[in-house]
Amino acid sequence: MKRTDPQQNGGEAFVNRDGTVAEAPRLKKIQFADQKQEFNKRPTKIGRRSLSRSISQSSTDSYGSAASYTDSSDDETSPRDKQQKNSKGNGDFCIKNIKQADFGRREIEIAEQEMPALMALRKRAQGEKPLAGAKVVGCTHITAQTAVLMETLTALGAQCRWAACNIYSTQNEVAAALAEGGFSVFAWKGESEDDFWWCIDRCVNLEGWQPNMILDDGGDLTHWIYKKYPNMFKKIKGIVEESVTGVHRLYQLSKAGKLCVPAMNVNDSVTKQKFDNLYCCRESILDGLKRTTDVMFGGKQVVVCGYGEVGKGCCAALKAMGSIVYVTEIDPICALQACMDGFRLVKLNEVIRQVDIVITCTGNKNVVVREYLDRMKNGCIVCNMGHSNTEIDVASLRTPELTWERVRSQVDHVIWPDGKRIVLLAEGRLLNLSCSTVPTFVLSITATTQALALIELYNAPEGRYKQDVYLLPKKMGKRPRSMSTHTHAPSSLLCPRSRAHTHTLPNPYSLMPQPVAT
C-alpha cells in the first residue's frame, strides 16, 4: 500500500503492515539534453545563405547521404569570406569546410573499388607518366568519382585545378579531401550564380600558371576562357568535352571558325552513350525522385521528353516500377524506337494536364515552357535529367504572381494564385547529381575515356588534329596496334574485369579519331 506524503511535496511513501511509514526508494530519472536549450542554439540569423540550404533546417546536421544531399554545416559564412588552409599550410582552394576531409577520403576510397578501369589505367601507366607536363584545368561535377579521375591524372604526371560545372552537385566532403590532398579546388554545394563564375575564374586565373589542357562538362569553362582570357588558347593543346550541351557549343564555335584548338567529343563516344547515358540514368532517376519527393511510381503517369540514351534509361526504370510512361520525341528514329519498346508517343500538349511527373532529357532549350507549366495539374513533379538548366523555363516562374516555397533541400513548391502548385526539383538543374548519387561503376568507363582523350590530345604530334571537333574511335574492343612510335604511351591497358578475356581498353595512340561534320 502506498500514500502521498504532503510533507514530501508530493513524494510517495509506503505504509508497512505494522503501521509504520517508510519512504519509497527514489528512482533516478534519465537525463535528456535540454531540447529547448539545444533548439535555441540553432542559428537564427539568415545571413548570406547558400541557395541549397533548406529553409526548415530539417536535416542539416547529418552526413546521412552521400553526395552531400543536405549541408552538414551550420556555418552561414560564405566560403569566399573564409581563410582556409589544409594541414600542410596550403590555401589555394575555396571549399565549404576543410574539416570534412577525412569523411571525403573514405568516400573516394569506396569509389575506387567500383572504378576498375580507371584504377587499371593508373596502375599500368603511372610509371610512364604520359601526362608529364600537362596542366589540366577542369570544370565537372565534383564527386567521389571525379576525385578518382583527378588523382589518376595526377598519378600520370598532370597538374590539376578544378571547379564545379553545377552549383548543386558538389560533394563538400570530397572537395575537402581533394583540398587536403593538395588539389586546387574551387567549389561547394549551393553556390550562387556569381559564386559559380567566381570559382571558374579563380581556377583559371592564377599568376605563373598557364593551363595547356581543358576538361569540360557543359562548356562553361571553355566559354569563360574564350570570353575573358582568349590568349590562353595559344598554349592550350586541346579540349575534352563530356556533355551534349558542351559539344553543341563546340560545334557552334567550329562552324563560326572560332574554335582555336582541337576538341574531343566524349559525349558521343560509344562508351559514354551506351553506358553512362543509358545505365547511369536508368538507375539514378528513381533514386533522385525518391530522395526528393518520396513518390510512389506504381500507377503514376509520367511523360519523358526525349528518347535518346538518357530518355531510354529513364523510361525503362519507370516502366519497370509500374508507371504509365509517355514519350515525346522529334527524331523519327528515336520515336520509332520508343514505339518498338512499348511506349506511347505523344505531343506534350496532349498529356500535360493529366501527367503526374514531367522529366526532360533532350539537351534542348525551353522544352517545357510557361504555357505547359500553367496547364499542369496540382502536385505535378517537374524535373530535368539533361545537363543544362534551360530545358525547363524556370525563369518564367520567377514572377510576382507566383509564390516559391522551399520544402526541403532541392525541392520547391511553385504556387499559383488559385492555390495550384507544382513540385520543382533542383530548380530545373540536373536531377540525379544535384539530388542523389550515380552508379560509380558506369562512371568508371566515362572517366577512363576522358583520361585517354586527354592523353591522346596532349601527346599527339603537331598537325595530327586541326581546329575541329573529333570523335573517339568506335573500335573499343579490339586489341591495339603497336604504340612504339609514342614514347609516352601506356604500355598495357588490359581489361581489369577478367584476366580470361583478351579485350583491351581503347588505345588512343593507334586509332585515329576522325573529325565530325558540323
Side-chain angles (χ1 to χ4, degrees):
M1 176 180 179
K2 66 179 181 179
R3 67 178 178 84
T4 300
D5 186 353
Q7 300 298 323
Q8 297 294 329
N9 296 322
E12 292 181 345
F14 285 89
V15 180
N16 297 326
R17 290 184 178 182
D18 58 1
T20 59
V21 179
E23 184 178 354
R26 295 187 178 275
L27 300 177
K28 290 186 176 180
K29 293 184 179 180
I30 299 175
Q31 297 296 320
F32 292 97
D34 186 346
Q35 295 180 356
K36 183 176 179 180
Q37 181 180 1
E38 291 297 319
F39 180 81
N40 289 335
K41 287 182 180 180
R42 299 189 68 84
T44 56
K45 295 182 179 180
I46 295 177
R48 184 176 178 176
R49 285 181 177 268
S50 63
L51 294 181
S52 69
R53 294 183 57 81
S54 169
I55 292 176
S56 65
Q57 298 260 350
S58 59
S59 57
T60 55
D61 296 325
S62 171
Y63 287 123
S65 163
S68 297
Y69 175 60
T70 52
D71 187 2
S72 60
S73 170
D74 281 332
D75 187 1
E76 298 297 336
T77 306
S78 168
R80 292 170 60 172
D81 299 331
K82 296 179 181 178
Q83 293 293 329
Q84 299 186 65
K85 292 185 181 295
N86 62 16
S87 61
K88 297 180 182 179
N90 178 28
D92 187 23
F93 60 86
C94 188
I95 60 171
K96 184 68 175 178
N97 187 359
I98 190 65
K99 295 179 181 179
Q100 299 178 6
D102 289 341
F103 181 75
R105 177 51 54 187
R106 292 192 289 273
E107 292 284 338
I108 296 171
E109 290 170 355
I110 293 173
E112 288 177 348
Q113 299 173 24
E114 274 288 289
M115 303 187 78
L118 197 58
M119 296 303 292
L121 174 63
R122 183 191 301 187
K123 182 179 180 181
R124 309 286 171 87
Q126 64 181 353
E128 300 171 4
K129 303 292 184 186
L131 290 176
K135 296 181 178 179
V136 182
V137 59
C139 183
T140 65
H141 303 284
I142 297 183
T143 62
Q145 296 82 18
T146 303
V148 179
L149 171 61
M150 292 170 63
E151 292 181 348
T152 298
L153 297 179
T154 301
L156 301 185
Q159 298 178 26
C160 297
R161 295 177 67 83
W162 230 263
C165 68
N166 185 301
I167 64 174
Y168 292 136
S169 65
T170 298
Q171 296 177 2
N172 286 331
E173 61 277 6
V174 171
L178 289 169
E180 178 61 30
F183 286 91
S184 299
V185 178
F186 302 88
W188 59 92
K189 187 177 180 69
E191 300 168 358
S192 66
E193 288 290 336
D194 180 63
D195 293 334
F196 175 80
W197 294 111
W198 180 87
C199 286
I200 290 179
D201 191 75
R202 281 288 306 274
C203 187
V204 173
N205 186 20
L206 177 68
E207 185 176 355
W209 195 87
Q210 164 71 56
N212 53 26
M213 294 297 298
I214 295 175
L215 179 56
D216 210 352
D217 187 346
D220 288 321
L221 174 60
T222 303
H223 167 77
W224 187 255
I225 295 177
Y226 179 80
K227 178 182 177 182
K228 301 286 289 186
Y229 310 103
N231 289 333
M232 283 189 176
F233 281 110
K234 294 179 180 179
K235 294 185 178 180
I236 291 175
K237 293 187 175 183
I239 302 168
V240 175
E241 173 57 55
E242 180 185 6
S243 77
V244 63
T245 302
V247 167
H248 283 326
R249 298 170 84 171
L250 289 175
Y251 287 159
Q252 290 174 349
L253 287 175
S254 178
K255 188 174 182 179
K258 297 180 179 180
L259 186 60
C260 305
V261 295
M264 281 287 187
N265 172 3
V266 170
N267 179 74
D268 293 322
S269 65
V270 285
T271 51
K272 177 70 162 56
Q273 283 286 324
K274 300 301 181 183
F275 293 93
D276 191 334
N277 289 5
L278 176 62
Y279 298 116
C280 176
C281 296
R282 189 180 69 179
E283 297 198 17
S284 60
I285 178 64
L286 302 180
D287 189 22
L289 286 169
K290 279 287 189 184
R291 292 199 198 194
T292 50
T293 64
D294 303 312
V295 65
M296 182 173 181
F297 299 107
K300 290 292 191 297
Q301 298 191 60
V302 184
V303 59
V304 176
C305 302
Y307 201 68
E309 298 303 324
V310 174
K312 289 180 176 68
C314 293
C315 289
L318 291 161
K319 182 180 180 181
M321 294 300 292
S323 298
I324 303 166
V325 182
Y326 306 105
V327 173
T328 69
E329 179 57 73
I330 61 172
D331 182 87
I333 301 301
C334 292
L336 182 58
Q337 284 181 309
C339 291
M340 298 293 284
D341 288 338
F343 299 106
R344 181 184 170 189
L345 203 67
V346 299
K347 294 181 179 179
L348 190 56
N349 62 1
E350 296 175 350
V351 297
I352 197 64
R353 290 185 182 276
Q354 68 192 57
V355 293
D356 302 293
I357 304 174
V358 177
I359 303 171
T360 57
C361 40
T362 67
N364 295 323
K365 185 177 180 181
N366 290 339
V367 177
V368 178
V369 293
R370 176 64 185 269
E371 176 191 352
Y372 295 142
L373 294 163
D374 287 336
R375 294 168 58 195
M376 288 177 182
K377 64 189 291 188
N378 183 51
C380 183
I381 299 170
V382 186
C383 62
N384 170 47
M385 282 291 286
H387 175 85
S388 177
N389 65 330
T390 58
E391 296 199 37
I392 302 168
D393 188 10
V394 177
S396 69
L397 297 176
R398 301 188 185 279
T399 53
E401 73 272 13
L402 300 183
T403 302
W404 284 60
E405 179 182 75
R406 176 57 55 91
V407 182
R408 58 173 69 163
S409 180
Q410 316 306 327
V411 182
D412 290 291
H413 281 171
V414 182
I415 307 171
W416 269 251
D418 63 357
K420 184 201 85 169
R421 64 183 62 197
I422 65 170
V423 183
L424 180 64
L425 305 183
E427 297 185 17
R429 297 179 183 271
L430 183 58
L431 172 68
N432 54 3
L433 280 159
S434 297
C435 301
S436 64
T437 57
V438 290
T440 302
F441 180 75
V442 179
L443 293 186
S444 175
I445 302 172
T446 301
T448 305
T449 306
Q450 289 174 301
L452 291 170
L454 284 171
I455 294 171
E456 166 63 10
L457 282 178
Y458 182 70
N459 289 277
E462 186 176 355
R464 168 175 287 183
Y465 298 106
K466 300 178 181 179
Q467 296 173 353
D468 208 339
V469 184
Y470 290 81
L471 271 176
L472 288 171
K474 293 184 178 180
K475 302 176 182 179
M476 308 302 280
K478 293 187 176 181
R479 187 185 295 274
R481 299 193 293 271
S482 171
M483 294 184 290
S484 58
T485 56
H486 299 276
T487 57
H488 294 289
S491 59
S492 172
L493 302 179
L494 294 177
C495 178
R497 298 300 292 176
S498 173
R499 292 283 183 180
H501 296 285
T502 57
H503 295 294
T504 61
L505 292 174
N507 171 23
Y509 297 100
S510 59
L511 301 174
M512 284 288 293
Q514 298 299 317
V516 180
T518 57

